[in-house]
């Protein structure tokens, strides 16, 4: 979506009508994305949760990740940890699990838990070396203080 603010009313209208079961998750997801892009994180989380109310396939892994990401962006770090752990535990979609693992490291950094952050970044580097997140994880590892030995 190139212009989420302009698209949001159409998705909002679509979610208020009777949607075919196969369309509902995507309408709610897009409404959540529009809210997230507008930095309206509670609204985004509410829309994303509607996706998970109707499906656990298709956009579900990305949706669960986006919930965690919104909580992180809103500064709700404990909630972010919980939601990102759900992404990692429930889905086997490497793209979104790698993203969740990286963002989990960020959440732990905000919570002043560098050992846990380091462990998550190390998992990204080890398990998702070819992902877009691996290089970022390496950079974060360099910035974290070395492990006390």
């Amino acid at each position: 979506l190139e212009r989420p603010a302009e698209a949001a009313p159409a998705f909002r209208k679509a979610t208020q009508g009777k949607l075919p079961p196969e369309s509902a998750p995507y309408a709610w997801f897009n409404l959540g994305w529009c809210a997230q892009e507008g930095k309206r994180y509670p609204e985004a989380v509410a829309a994303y949760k509607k996706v998970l109310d109707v499906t656990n396939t298709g956009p579900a892994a990305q949706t669960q990740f986006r919930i965690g990401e919104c909580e992180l962006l809103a500064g709700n770090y404990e909630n972010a940890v919980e939601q990102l752990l759900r992404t990692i535990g429930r889905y086997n979609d490497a793209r979104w699990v790698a993203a969740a693992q990286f963002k989990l490291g960020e959440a732990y950094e905000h919570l002043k838990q560098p050992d846990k952050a380091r462990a998550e970044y190390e998992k990204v580097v080890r398990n998702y070396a070819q992902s877009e997140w691996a290089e970022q994880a390496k950079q974060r590892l360099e910035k974290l203080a070395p492990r006390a030995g």
Side-chain angles (χ1 to χ4, degrees):
L1 293 172
E2 291 185 24
R3 299 193 300 229
E6 294 175 24
F11 291 120
R12 191 169 290 108
K13 185 176 180 182
T15 60
Q16 292 169 350
K18 182 142 175 74
L19 290 169
E22 65 278 3
S23 299
Y26 298 98
W28 282 110
F29 180 86
N30 286 321
L31 184 59
W33 178 249
C34 291
Q36 183 176 352
E37 286 295 295
K39 297 182 178 10
R40 296 183 316 278
Y41 303 121
E43 183 182 330
V45 167
Y48 289 145
K49 285 183 177 181
K50 293 284 191 176
V51 174
L52 299 178
D53 286 345
V54 296
T55 189
N56 63 357
T57 61
Q62 181 181 6
T63 301
Q64 184 64 60
F65 166 76
R66 295 289 178 202
I67 292 170
E69 184 178 49
C70 284
E71 294 289 6
L72 181 64
L73 292 168
N76 302 323
Y77 304 123
E78 285 100 4
N79 289 345
V81 166
E82 179 183 335
Q83 297 303 324
L84 294 164
L85 284 171
R86 284 187 184 163
T87 305
I88 295 164
R90 291 183 180 171
Y91 302 100
N92 61 4
D93 185 323
R95 178 178 177 195
W96 299 112
V97 172
Q101 202 97 59
F102 179 84
K103 294 294 183 175
L104 185 56
E106 287 186 343
Y108 283 135
E109 282 193 73
H110 285 290
L111 290 168
K112 309 283 189 252
Q113 298 178 15
D115 288 341
K116 286 186 176 182
R118 185 178 297 101
E120 298 308 322
Y121 294 139
E122 287 171 350
K123 288 175 191 173
V124 173
V125 172
R126 183 176 58 249
N127 298 332
Y128 306 101
Q130 302 306 311
S131 76
E132 64 187 277
W133 300 102
E135 189 57 40
Q136 292 178 65
K138 288 177 188 175
Q139 291 170 5
R140 296 304 310 151
L141 284 166
E142 288 175 12
K143 290 181 181 183
L144 286 172
R147 273 186 204 262

